[in-house]
Amino acid sequence: MAIEGLTQEQVQAAADTVQVHKFGGSSLADAFCYRRVARIVTEYAGASDVVVVSAAGDTTNRILAIIAAAKKPGDTAAILLEQLEKFQLGLINELLGSDLAQSLCQLSNADFERFRRFIRGEESISRDAELLAYGELWSARLLAALLRKQGTRAEHIDARDFLCAEDAPEPLIQEQVSREGLLQRVAPYPGTRFIVTGFIARGLNSESLTLGRNGSDYSATLVGSLLDAKQVTIWKDVAGVYSADPRKIERVVSLPALDWSEAEELARLGSPVLHPRTFQPVNRERMVISVRSSLKVENQQTRIGQFEHAEPRGKVFTSLSEVVLFKIELNDKRLVDQLDELDLEPIFSWTEPEKHHQYLVFHQNHLDYISRWLEQIDNDNAVTQIRGYSMVALVGDRIQETDQYTTFKLQLSEQKVRRFGLGEHGNSAIAILEQQLDSRFLNRLHSQLFNYRRSLGVLVLGRGNIGSAWLELFKQQRDRINQVMDVRIIGIANSKRLWLDYGGVELNAWSADFDRLARPYVLTELLRELPNAPYDELVILDLTDAKPIAQLYPSLFANGLHIISANKRAGSAHESLYHEIRTIQHEYKREWLYNTTVGAGLPLNYAINDLRAQGDEIRSISGIFSGTMSWLFENFSADTAFSDLVAEAKERGYTEPDPREDLSCQDLVRKLLILAREIGLKLDWQDIEVNSLVPEHLRDISVAEFMQRRSELDEPMNEMLESAAKDGKVPRLLASFSVSEERRVKAKVGIEYIPAGDMLANLIPGENIFVIYTDWYSEMPLVISGPGAGKQVTAGGVQSDLNQLLGRLSAIS
């Protein structure tokens, strides 16, 4: 049908390109929330999308309180209005600044002046909806202005300008005139984001109407239907729909998809996330509803639409702690006929013909409505209200064909079941219980229904050589690992950008996806979100060399995260920070594994801990701790310039980004500290004797300049080589510490001359060697040697730490 002023192409373009987004009051509770919503709209909504908003925070309740107080003597209404005005004007000024705020404040001041006239009795406003509508109007105006301030084309629309409805307990939308009005406002302006008021409409007599409970969600799908949009996204404070209410059940599973019939049945049974009316306007063959979290945007989302089901499956376990039964006398035919006209569907119903009774079960929230209706029809005591009942239900496609249905019935056999049966369309199994619900019973039942398996979310910090190699290794071993726990990579980050997806990132083309999907982040801000991720356990893989991340280890532990670290900065931190890290780790009972910080993939820390667990005492550890320095010195000869070897090692990825970290022995000092602390010694930086290979004049210049001037290393290194050769020896960079009987520690790092035939002088380039003397290994030391550098062996060591973590977590589950 043609629409005045629009071409068919404009109408079709709106249907094909415009999507609808809805934000509720909790998503707009304060200025911080407004900015978050503005960011979501900018980044996740299309340039021509429509945004439906509710009143900010508890604004609607505040207006209702003002209306109620205005009917009573005293100045309570004026005080409440002053508080509301301060809140709204405060939002405007904080978000927009003085210049941009001026025009919006003038509009709001006029609105509040109308409230004051109403309170003083100078203006008669007979319908509450006329005042309630201001809540949504203020939100729409402010969000549109904030977007404009940030450089986005945005305008607000008062839904009463297009949404026409006939007044009724649930207003009846006049679809054709409403559709024409909305399209005339939106379709001619592609590239503009329109912010539309939810919850309100205009009556046939130009009066303001509200759309009732859950009116904003309904407004969103209604707007989507009028535009013939393909998708409506409802942004809430939860990340979609779960296998149970996470406020009641401890270990819930997020659901990627629900069919229309499943979603509607769940809503009918009292879902806190979904409301039945939300689905009324939807074109089920075209539209998809997405439920996402505005608090944790990257979280899993639930898509509701028309999907093909390969097999029957129970998806959601839901419960109501209190429901109300009404027993109806079937002998009263007049009452039975009137019940057929009741505009409210019961949750469950059944008939007992032998007793001439019918039972209707309603949600506790509907009790007042039912009671008033019964008073109006004069039921002559043919209806009995029965309290003290509860409900549990399992929702899913073809539920009776599932193994979960059998489990559900079996688990309920020990409970006081008043009635058990299927929902009308066969996609739910419902039990009415003569008992209060116990949280332990609910958690046990959910666990039995969904065969719960513990989950671990992994956040990878560092996507360089080691991070890239480990991600490829994990991809190869994922199936084996997931036999132990449900392990998913939830994020990959470098120093500036993060790709986060709580549903699990796809690793097949992760590098290209990172470039496309990663966004700027601040780790300290991310820490506020991570503890709410939908996983039983979380671990950060710190595959960086970043000191700022190491300084955050106490916060990571305090926020419930385990750590696997290839970063040596925390284990070798100054004693005060190291003590804080260990204290917080033990206080919060978190795991910290860091085998790769010394010896790459070698099982050095495991061997040391095993010796100590058996009762042995370690007296000294010495050797070549650096694969980088091993490679350099094993290749160093009179025929090779040391500076050229440094450049080659850097190019191969053997050195730290700044080779001076290796040459100055700082990296070796870190490893020495980590080993010493691993056996309980108190050792700090100032306690270690260090002989650096970097001349003083090369220490404080940039990396680039150092690499240009690296040939200045050659003369002193050649002198060292020649000096050692006079005695038939070769120079090697060694680290060592020893512990006396009195527990005094002597530690040093530097060049030593080793006989040319010694095992320390004849390693494979890149090999590490650790010589360990203990009480038990006092005459012949324990020697551990192997590759000490390289991304593959280090990635393997990280994987070994992950396997260790999974074993420990499984043991305590």
Side-chain angles (χ1 to χ4, degrees):
M1 181 179 293
I3 298 176
E4 183 179 352
L6 297 179
T7 66
Q8 186 57 40
E9 288 75 17
Q10 287 176 311
V11 172
Q12 190 60 48
D16 291 340
T17 61
V18 176
Q19 296 186 7
V20 179
H21 301 258
K22 180 265 175 179
F23 294 92
S26 60
S27 296
L28 300 166
D30 53 32
F32 176 82
C33 292
Y34 265 91
R35 292 190 184 99
R36 180 168 55 205
V37 168
R39 179 177 66 84
I40 293 171
V41 171
T42 302
E43 296 182 4
Y44 292 88
S48 303
D49 282 1
V50 170
V51 179
V52 175
V53 293
S54 299
D58 61 350
T59 296
T60 298
N61 289 335
R62 290 190 185 203
I63 295 174
L64 286 171
I66 291 169
I67 294 171
K71 299 174 183 177
K72 300 176 182 178
D75 56 0
T76 302
I79 294 172
L80 294 175
L81 178 62
E82 182 180 350
Q83 294 171 347
L84 178 59
E85 183 176 17
K86 182 178 180 181
F87 169 68
Q88 292 292 338
L89 295 180
L91 286 175
I92 294 171
N93 287 308
E94 183 174 351
L95 290 170
L96 302 183
S98 57
D99 293 338
L100 293 171
Q102 185 176 2
S103 61
L104 212 59
C105 284
Q106 289 176 348
L107 292 172
S108 296
N109 288 335
D111 299 337
F112 285 110
E113 182 56 35
R114 188 181 184 198
F115 270 86
R116 279 188 279 271
R117 290 198 303 270
F118 165 71
I119 291 173
R120 293 193 298 261
E122 297 171 2
E123 181 175 348
S124 176
I125 300 177
S126 59
R127 301 181 66 91
D128 293 351
E130 187 67 25
L131 295 176
L132 289 171
Y134 281 107
E136 275 67 24
L137 183 59
W138 294 331
S139 291
R141 286 196 311 220
L142 179 53
L143 181 58
L146 177 59
L147 289 169
R148 289 195 298 273
K149 175 189 176 185
Q150 296 175 347
T152 299
R153 285 173 57 185
E155 298 292 340
H156 82 277
I157 301 176
D158 187 332
R160 292 172 294 182
D161 292 343
F162 70 86
L163 193 56
C164 183
E166 181 181 346
D167 192 9
E170 288 191 351
L172 304 175
I173 303 300
Q174 308 297 295
E175 292 187 13
Q176 186 57 38
V177 66
S178 298
R179 181 170 185 265
E180 290 180 4
L182 177 59
L183 283 168
Q184 287 168 342
R185 187 69 178 88
V186 171
Y189 306 101
T192 298
R193 292 178 173 92
F194 286 100
I195 316 301
V196 179
T197 57
F199 184 58
I200 57 177
R202 181 73 67 191
L204 301 182
N205 298 315
S206 298
E207 73 276 25
S208 293
L209 302 177
T210 59
L211 300 180
R213 180 172 172 259
N214 215 63
S216 292
D217 282 4
Y218 172 55
S219 294
T221 53
L222 181 58
V223 167
S225 177
L226 296 175
L227 292 169
D228 200 22
K230 294 179 181 178
Q231 178 164 311
V232 172
T233 301
I234 299 177
W235 297 87
K236 291 183 172 288
D237 55 3
V238 293
V241 181
Y242 294 91
S243 58
D245 186 343
R247 297 171 301 179
K248 300 178 182 178
I249 306 298
E250 294 176 359
R251 298 169 175 177
V252 295
V253 180
S254 58
L255 300 175
L258 279 176
D259 188 75
W260 288 120
S261 62
E262 296 169 329
E264 288 177 304
E265 182 67 359
L266 182 60
R268 191 184 69 82
L269 293 174
S271 166
V273 178
L274 306 173
H275 188 272
R277 203 169 180 218
T278 304
F279 305 113
Q280 286 180 7
V282 169
N283 179 347
R284 284 157 177 72
E285 294 182 357
R286 177 174 171 84
M287 186 185 291
V288 169
I289 294 177
S290 175
V291 182
R292 300 184 66 172
S293 170
S294 63
L295 305 181
K296 295 176 281 293
V297 177
E298 298 83 359
N299 270 17
Q300 172 74 48
Q301 60 179 298
T302 301
R303 291 172 61 80
I304 302 169
Q306 189 164 291
F307 305 118
E308 293 292 332
H309 293 288
E311 59 183 25
R313 184 164 71 92
K315 291 186 177 179
V316 183
F317 170 61
T318 187
S319 63
L320 293 172
S321 58
E322 187 170 2
V323 294
V324 182
L325 272 65
F326 288 94
K327 184 174 71 173
I328 313 297
E329 300 289 346
L330 292 177
N331 293 331
D332 191 332
K333 296 188 180 300
R334 180 184 61 85
L335 176 60
V336 173
D337 291 339
Q338 288 176 312
L339 282 170
D340 290 338
E341 300 174 2
L342 177 62
D343 189 24
L344 185 64
E345 182 183 1
I347 291 172
F348 198 46
S349 65
W350 70 90
T351 301
E352 296 179 354
E354 68 281 1
K355 297 181 180 179
H356 302 287
H357 293 157
Q358 182 181 16
Y359 290 87
L360 305 178
V361 182
F362 290 97
H363 194 291
Q364 172 69 16
N365 291 344
H366 296 144
L367 178 58
D368 289 343
Y369 176 84
I370 299 293
S371 298
R372 289 195 301 270
W373 182 81
L374 288 173
E375 290 174 1
Q376 292 171 2
I377 67 169
D378 186 20
N379 65 84
D380 197 26
N381 297 320
V383 179
T384 304
Q385 181 186 129
I386 309 173
R387 306 293 294 273
Y389 284 73
S390 58
M391 182 212 76
V392 291
L394 180 62
V395 177
D397 185 53
R398 292 149 54 200
I399 195 68
Q400 196 171 11
E401 301 175 33
T402 66
D403 293 338
Q404 294 154 300
Y405 177 79
T406 304
T407 302
F408 192 41
K409 289 189 69 175
L410 181 63
Q411 292 295 318
L412 290 172
S413 61
E414 299 179 1
Q415 307 302 316
K416 298 176 182 178
V417 180
R418 178 66 178 84
R419 192 75 178 186
F420 181 90
L422 293 172
E424 181 180 357
H425 301 292
N427 53 14
S428 66
I430 303 169
I432 305 301
L433 307 180
E434 302 180 45
Q435 63 189 61
Q436 295 297 309
L437 295 181
D438 177 82
S439 62
R440 290 171 297 180
F441 161 66
L442 293 176
N443 277 277
R444 185 175 70 251
L445 185 51
H446 177 267
S447 179
Q448 291 289 332
L449 290 171
F450 294 95
N451 294 319
Y452 178 76
R453 188 160 58 107
R454 287 173 62 77
S455 59
L456 174 69
V458 182
L459 175 61
V460 181
L461 300 182
R463 50 157 301 189
N465 289 332
I466 298 172
S468 298
W470 181 80
L471 286 166
E472 292 301 320
L473 182 62
F474 176 82
K475 186 166 63 174
Q476 297 168 16
Q477 299 189 5
R478 179 165 44 191
D479 290 344
R480 179 186 60 79
I481 291 169
N482 282 338
Q483 293 176 6
V484 182
M485 290 180 72
D486 180 12
V487 181
R488 301 187 193 182
I489 310 299
I490 62 172
I492 301 171
N494 59 20
S495 60
K496 296 180 180 179
R497 299 172 70 228
L498 165 71
W499 173 26
L500 189 67
D501 185 341
Y502 287 130
V505 302
E506 177 53 56
L507 293 178
N508 288 333
W510 69 265
S511 184
D513 287 340
F514 180 91
D515 293 338
R516 181 170 57 89
L517 298 171
R519 301 182 183 281
Y521 80 109
V522 177
L523 185 56
T524 52
E525 295 179 2
L526 181 63
L527 276 180
R528 294 199 293 265
E529 294 186 11
L530 282 177
N532 297 317
Y535 291 86
D536 297 302
E537 305 284 353
L538 292 169
V539 60
I540 279 187
L541 266 58
D542 180 7
L543 309 183
T544 74
D545 185 43
K547 186 175 180 180
I549 293 177
Q551 292 172 333
L552 284 175
Y553 276 24
S555 296
L556 295 175
F557 288 134
N559 279 279
L561 284 83
H562 305 286
I563 300 175
I564 293 175
S565 178
N567 183 350
K568 294 180 280 290
R569 302 280 181 168
S572 62
H574 287 287
E575 181 63 30
S576 58
L577 175 58
Y578 182 78
H579 178 71
E580 180 186 4
I581 291 172
R582 283 299 192 188
T583 299
I584 300 297
Q585 180 206 350
H586 294 311
E587 180 180 346
Y588 286 88
K589 299 179 180 178
R590 299 293 89 187
E591 298 290 344
W592 181 19
L593 296 100
Y594 45 86
N595 190 58
T596 57
T597 56
V598 185
L602 297 176
L604 180 62
N605 284 348
Y606 298 143
I608 291 172
N609 288 328
D610 193 45
L611 288 172
R612 298 187 69 217
Q614 296 173 34
D616 200 358
E617 286 290 334
I618 293 171
R619 296 303 173 187
S620 71
I621 300 179
S622 62
I624 296 175
F625 292 7
S626 168
T628 302
M629 301 310 294
S630 167
W631 187 90
L632 286 171
F633 278 95
E634 291 295 338
N635 284 294
F636 182 36
S637 68
D639 300 325
T640 308
F642 190 79
S643 59
D644 290 342
L645 291 173
V646 170
E648 184 179 349
K650 186 176 190 301
E651 185 177 346
R652 292 188 179 207
Y654 293 164
T655 70
E656 297 294 331
D658 183 348
R660 287 172 296 182
E661 286 287 319
D662 302 285
L663 298 172
S664 67
C665 303
Q666 296 299 296
D667 187 59
L668 277 174
V669 171
R670 293 189 186 99
K671 294 177 179 180
L672 197 64
L673 283 168
I674 291 168
L675 282 181
R677 289 167 174 175
E678 187 69 10
I679 65 172
L681 301 178
K682 288 193 173 182
L683 195 67
D684 215 339
W685 285 77
Q686 67 273 11
D687 303 322
I688 301 174
E689 179 185 336
V690 181
N691 294 306
S692 171
L693 301 183
V694 182
E696 185 79 30
H697 63 280
L698 296 180
R699 291 179 185 177
D700 297 325
I701 61 179
S702 69
V703 177
E705 184 180 353
F706 169 75
M707 293 305 295
Q708 289 177 346
R709 297 173 58 184
R710 68 184 186 279
S711 60
E712 297 175 33
L713 296 170
D714 290 335
E715 183 177 349
M717 294 302 299
N718 287 333
E719 290 176 356
M720 188 185 301
L721 188 68
E722 293 168 2
S723 176
K726 292 177 183 178
D727 298 321
K729 296 181 179 181
V730 292
R732 293 293 183 265
L733 185 59
L734 269 63
S736 65
F737 70 82
S738 58
V739 187
S740 69
E741 292 291 342
E742 296 79 21
R743 299 292 288 177
R744 286 197 293 269
V745 183
K746 183 178 181 181
K748 63 179 181 177
V749 175
I751 293 292
E752 295 188 25
Y753 295 165
I754 306 296
D758 193 279
M759 64 177 178
L760 293 175
N762 293 279
L763 301 179
I764 298 171
E767 184 178 2
N768 275 184
I769 186 167
F770 301 89
V771 181
I772 305 171
Y773 282 93
T774 73
D775 287 348
W776 297 351
Y777 292 86
S778 57
E779 297 183 5
M780 182 178 295
L782 173 65
V783 177
I784 298 175
S785 66
K791 60 183 181 180
Q792 300 297 341
V793 293
T794 307
V798 171
Q799 186 60 38
S800 176
D801 279 347
L802 178 60
N803 291 333
Q804 287 280 331
L805 176 65
L806 292 174
R808 295 179 189 182
L809 295 178
S810 298
I812 62 176
S813 63

